[in-house]
Amino acid sequence: MQKDHSTSTPSTPTSRVRNRRRSNEVIPEDSKPNGSHLLVHDRNKYRSMWIRAHSSIWMIGGFMFIVYMGHLYITAMVVVIQIYMAKELFNLLRKSHEDSHLPGFRLLNWHFFFTAMLFVYGRFLSQRLVNTVTTDRFLYQLVSSLFKYHMAICYFLYITGFMWFILSLKKKMYKYQFGQYAWTHMILIVVFAQSSFTVANIFEGIFWFLLPATLIVINDIAAYIFGFFFGRTPLIKLSPKKTWEGFIGASVTTIISAFLLANIMGRFQWFTCPRKDLSNGWLHCDPGPLFKSEQHTLPGWVSQWFPWKEISILPVQWHALCLGLFASIIAPFGGFFASGFKRAFKIKDFGDSIPGHGGITDRMDCQMVMAVFAYIYHQSFVVPQSLSVERILDQILMNLTFEEQHSLYVKLGEILHETLTGES
């Protein structure tokens, strides 16, 4: 019998390298672009669609329950998500062989992470914590002192980690250790810093957290549905499954949803009132002009087709359109960035925490971009730039002791008395 020489020929080092390179460049079957083939005709996709839908229902239900529980529970959810994201990304470049020769080195990554968490959340939540303990003199003085030296404490914690890293350097491990050091800081800058703006949005009013986050979810679901049933034209090479049909359909759906959801959410004080402390009680506040409805008369030709002659619109709905535009056009680039990142490391997902979706990071790529925009937009175009009584009082409570506050109170009384006496 004649032997097949192609199978018996020994492989040379050159051929092994060539084969390895070829295998790395093969695109997995499920990541090939749709082209003219509709996913709706692919029966194998229905099972994954069902798993993804089932997971989405559980996630949305849990998310709604946490929002109902209040600001502190939402903040705790964000912190847990950040920890899971950091874990997934730390493990991405982890090498068990090298780590076995570096005891405690993995703990150093978490030291930097929690130091960054203390710094960022200390800046965001300092005023709320001060307002919470104002009635207790001892706690007030303790918290005030801690926040006075907050930046110094965080700096020395970071320097401790820096010295720990230098002292842990081992011969023949320098490249791996410095790579891990740089990777940790990239996670803190690109991932943690962006997602931390979510907490700032929560305490400005759940509305400014919930609406942007919901728009990303709506955009993602709509893009998946439109792409599944109508997708033919590939959108971008980094994400071969993304199609123009899915992108356009999701954009229209997201913008319409933004306008309608803003009207619904804007009518509940639980969503619109800012949280000034760290309590979890019910909120009551003046919603402000943005959340007070205005009547708009519809054109005559509209009333011929619909029974309404005028509609009620909240001014915040026009701001919601800007959020919707960003969520549908710009925020998806966070997903494209993550897709390119995964391609660079030749992985399908960052993890397997969520059936049908991958890891936590896979669900949060666009949310991070959206959170930063929502915060910047709110601070630039919504928050009044002039000083207000509340902002001045916040600074007084945060930066002055009880004795200094009393002296200020007495001095203001004298000034007002002299002013009233002079006018009379």
Side-chain angles (χ1 to χ4, degrees):
M1 181 182 292
Q2 186 177 359
K3 294 183 180 180
D4 186 358
H5 295 285
S6 61
T7 59
S8 61
T9 304
S11 59
T12 62
T14 304
S15 63
R16 283 199 298 269
V17 172
R18 187 179 299 113
N19 290 336
R20 191 183 305 120
R21 286 177 180 172
R22 188 185 303 117
S23 63
N24 284 344
E25 293 176 357
V26 172
I27 300 175
E29 188 68 27
D30 60 352
S31 65
K32 290 182 180 180
N34 294 331
S36 60
H37 176 65
L38 287 174
L39 289 177
V40 70
H41 299 317
D42 190 347
R43 298 299 177 182
N44 294 328
K45 295 295 181 180
Y46 279 98
R47 183 174 179 273
S48 62
M49 183 182 185
W50 167 249
I51 295 174
R52 184 171 180 142
H54 190 260
S55 300
S56 298
I57 292 172
W58 277 102
M59 284 193 297
I60 293 172
F63 178 75
M64 292 174 64
F65 176 75
I66 292 174
V67 169
Y68 170 78
M69 294 300 292
H71 300 69
L72 292 181
Y73 290 88
I74 302 173
T75 302
M77 176 190 70
V78 173
V79 171
V80 171
I81 288 174
Q82 288 177 330
I83 292 174
Y84 270 96
M85 290 173 63
K87 181 181 178 181
E88 290 175 354
L89 293 171
F90 284 150
N91 290 336
L92 191 60
L93 290 186
R94 183 177 181 179
K95 296 181 180 179
S96 57
H97 175 71
E98 282 79 356
D99 283 353
S100 64
H101 293 85
L102 298 169
F105 189 72
R106 186 59 47 184
L107 184 62
L108 179 60
N109 293 338
W110 289 108
H111 172 83
F112 284 121
F113 178 82
F114 285 110
T115 299
M117 183 177 289
L118 177 64
F119 176 75
V120 173
Y121 287 159
R123 303 284 289 182
F124 281 153
L125 303 179
S126 57
Q127 185 57 57
R128 275 83 182 181
L129 183 56
V130 169
N131 292 343
T132 304
V133 301
T134 300
T135 55
D136 189 305
R137 182 166 184 171
F138 173 75
L139 285 177
Y140 175 81
Q141 291 178 340
L142 175 63
V143 170
S144 298
S145 299
L146 287 175
F147 282 119
K148 181 178 180 180
Y149 301 107
H150 167 255
M151 189 175 293
I153 293 171
C154 294
Y155 175 74
F156 282 110
L157 283 174
Y158 178 82
I159 288 298
T160 301
F162 177 74
M163 294 171 63
W164 180 1
F165 168 73
I166 297 299
L167 294 174
S168 68
L169 290 173
K170 286 189 175 182
K171 192 175 182 180
K172 297 183 180 180
M173 305 287 289
Y174 296 152
K175 185 176 181 179
Y176 175 75
Q177 289 181 277
F178 275 99
Q180 288 290 312
Y181 183 80
W183 179 242
T184 300
H185 284 70
M186 196 210 79
I187 293 173
L188 297 181
I189 294 172
V190 177
V191 177
F192 175 77
Q194 290 192 74
S195 57
S196 296
F197 282 94
T198 305
V199 175
N201 294 334
I202 293 169
F203 285 88
E204 293 292 346
I206 294 180
F207 177 93
W208 299 105
F209 154 77
L210 184 59
L211 181 63
T214 304
L215 293 179
I216 292 297
V217 174
I218 291 174
N219 184 264
D220 185 59
I221 294 174
Y224 183 79
I225 293 175
F226 279 96
F228 188 91
F229 288 100
F230 309 106
R232 289 179 179 273
T233 312
L235 174 64
I236 186 171
K237 291 183 178 180
L238 286 174
S239 296
K241 291 183 181 179
K242 307 291 185 184
T243 62
W244 275 105
E245 291 80 3
F247 181 80
I248 295 172
S251 298
V252 175
T253 304
T254 304
I255 294 171
I256 294 175
S257 300
F259 192 76
L260 298 178
L261 285 174
N263 189 287
I264 297 172
M265 296 180 186
R267 298 182 184 275
F268 296 92
Q269 290 191 4
W270 182 246
F271 291 152
T272 58
C273 292
R275 174 68 72 181
K276 298 295 184 181
D277 53 26
L278 297 181
S279 64
N280 212 36
W282 193 253
L283 291 170
H284 299 281
C285 67
D286 179 4
L290 280 180
F291 298 100
K292 293 180 179 178
S293 60
E294 300 175 348
Q295 298 297 322
H296 293 265
T297 303
L298 295 174
W301 63 270
V302 175
S303 58
Q304 294 178 0
W305 295 93
F306 299 98
W308 309 289
K309 293 185 178 180
E310 60 180 23
I311 57 173
S312 175
I313 295 179
L314 302 180
V316 75
Q317 289 180 254
W318 307 117
H319 292 288
L321 287 178
C322 297
L323 296 176
L325 280 170
F326 188 92
S328 59
I329 298 176
I330 308 299
F333 279 83
F336 301 152
F337 176 85
S339 297
F341 196 86
K342 289 184 286 187
R343 277 184 164 290
F345 286 90
K346 298 179 176 62
I347 57 174
K348 183 178 179 181
D349 296 309
F350 286 103
D352 54 0
S353 306
I354 310 172
H357 292 267
I360 298 292
T361 309
D362 293 285
R363 292 297 92 214
M364 292 298 296
D365 43 17
C366 300
Q367 292 283 4
M368 292 185 298
V369 179
M370 190 69 198
V372 178
F373 174 76
Y375 179 81
I376 293 174
Y377 184 89
H378 179 265
Q379 296 297 316
S380 301
F381 302 105
V382 178
V383 175
Q385 298 302 315
S386 59
L387 290 175
S388 64
V389 174
E390 286 188 354
R391 295 183 69 179
I392 294 173
L393 288 177
D394 287 344
Q395 292 299 316
I396 292 172
L397 289 174
M398 186 173 178
N399 297 305
L400 299 182
T401 64
F402 272 110
E403 291 76 13
E404 291 171 334
Q405 291 176 28
H406 182 265
S407 300
L408 177 63
Y409 174 78
V410 173
K411 187 66 176 177
L412 285 174
E414 294 175 356
I415 294 173
L416 290 174
H417 179 72
E418 291 176 359
T419 302
L420 292 174
T421 303
E423 290 180 354
S424 59

